């Protein structure tokens, strides 16, 4: 028995509404959504504590030297090393690369929103081309909502399990694509795949996401189900 006899597979890969991020065919206008920004309290706290500690230590040492006391041994050793080693020394190059990497990391943290696991949802009454976090001029309040990717995956998995013929299902929700994998134990695979595709499209629509991810559906049946 070859591999084709052991497992049949039906695959559907479709972008919701014909293109990822569009809402054609569902009656909702396209919406641009700003991602939620992470507060990043832990990295900011670590950087603040490190800067405070280093600055306080240097200030104490400079004040001690100005008052006639000798400088700390570690600062004398560091000054001697920097004066004696050439710029192409491996330790100098490694230290510079490390400091540059830390600087790039801090810049990336400052310029990127983070919270990749949180998907923005539509704001009430959002129109075509509107931002999801704009203030409602009449109500005077800003309404923003989001859903965790894991939670969205569980919701869509429950929808997939309601399709007749689906034995088990797994739904992985990404920022741009949703991948659904299902195992069928009866019915024709193409019929199961078509019903599953329809159910998941409806589930994605009901999630109210500001940006509709593309949908990829795959249904398979193992040899145990056939025999």
């Amino acid at each position: 028995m070859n591999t084709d006899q052991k497992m049949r597979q039906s695959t559907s890969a479709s972008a919701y509404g014909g293109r990822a991020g569009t809402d054609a065919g569902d009656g909702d206008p396209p919406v641009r959504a700003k991602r939620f920004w992470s507060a990043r309290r832990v990295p900011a706290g670590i950087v603040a504590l490190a800067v405070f500690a280093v600055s306080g230590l240097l200030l104490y040492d400079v004040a001690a030297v100005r008052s006639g006391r000798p400088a700390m041994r570690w600062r004398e050793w560091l000054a001697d090393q920097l004066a004696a080693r050439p710029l192409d020394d491996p330790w100098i190059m490694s230290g510079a690369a490390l400091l540059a990497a830390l600087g790039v990391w801090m810049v990336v943290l400052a310029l990127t929103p983070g919270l990749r696991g949180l998907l923005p949802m539509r704001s009430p009454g959002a129109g075509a081309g509107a931002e999801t976090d704009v203030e409602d001029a009449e109500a005077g309040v800003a309404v923003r909502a989001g859903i965790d990717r894991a939670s969205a995956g569980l919701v869509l998995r429950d929808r997939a399990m309601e399709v007749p013929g689906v034995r088990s299902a797994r739904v992985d929700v990404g920022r741009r694509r949703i991948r659904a994998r299902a195992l069928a134990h009866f019915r024709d695979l193409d019929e199961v795949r078509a019903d599953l595709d329809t159910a998941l499209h409806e589930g994605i629509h009901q999630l109210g996401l500001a940006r509709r991810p593309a949908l990829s559906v795959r249904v398979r049946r193992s040899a145990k189900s056939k025999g």
Side-chain angles (χ1 to χ4, degrees):
M1 182 178 294
N2 56 29
T3 305
D4 293 337
Q5 293 174 335
K6 290 182 179 180
M7 182 180 296
R8 289 185 57 207
Q9 182 168 296
S10 176
T11 304
S12 169
S14 59
Y16 194 89
R19 182 170 62 89
T22 63
D23 302 274
D26 61 7
D28 293 330
V31 174
R32 293 184 303 165
K34 289 184 178 180
R35 289 172 54 188
F36 292 88
W37 279 77
S38 172
R40 294 189 174 96
R41 295 182 178 87
V42 174
I46 293 175
V47 172
L49 288 176
V51 171
F52 177 78
V54 173
S55 301
L57 188 61
L58 289 176
L59 181 60
Y60 171 80
D61 191 49
V62 170
V65 172
R66 290 295 183 180
S67 63
R69 301 179 60 182
M72 293 184 179
R73 292 183 178 180
W74 67 268
R75 195 159 73 93
E76 293 180 351
W77 175 86
L78 182 61
D80 294 338
Q81 292 295 322
L82 292 176
R85 293 180 181 270
L87 294 179
D88 58 351
D89 185 83
W91 288 103
I92 300 295
M93 299 288 289
S94 299
L98 178 60
L99 292 177
L102 290 176
V104 171
W105 177 63
M106 294 177 64
V107 171
V108 170
L109 289 181
L111 298 180
T112 55
L115 295 179
R116 296 177 62 86
L118 193 61
L119 299 177
M121 300 175 66
R122 285 175 172 270
S123 61
E131 301 288 348
T132 58
D133 60 341
V134 297
E135 286 196 5
D136 189 334
E138 297 180 358
V141 294
V143 179
R144 295 197 67 192
I147 183 171
D148 184 75
R149 284 163 51 182
S151 301
L154 291 176
V155 172
L156 295 178
R157 178 186 175 275
D158 292 341
R159 295 296 299 267
M161 294 300 297
E162 295 175 357
V163 175
V166 175
R167 177 180 178 181
S168 61
R170 176 180 176 180
V171 180
D172 297 321
V173 178
R175 292 181 52 238
R176 302 183 182 275
R177 180 173 294 274
I178 297 177
R179 293 179 173 84
R181 305 293 180 265
L183 184 66
H185 59 109
F186 70 91
R187 296 182 67 198
D188 183 74
L189 288 181
D190 291 333
E191 295 179 359
V192 175
R193 191 269 305 160
D195 292 346
L196 184 60
D197 194 80
T198 301
L200 290 179
H201 274 87
E202 182 180 353
I204 295 173
H205 173 68
Q206 293 180 353
L207 285 177
L209 300 178
R211 178 186 177 89
R212 300 295 174 82
L215 177 62
S216 173
V217 178
R218 179 171 298 174
V219 181
R220 65 184 177 88
R221 178 180 293 136
S222 63
K224 294 182 179 180
S225 300
K226 298 172 63 177

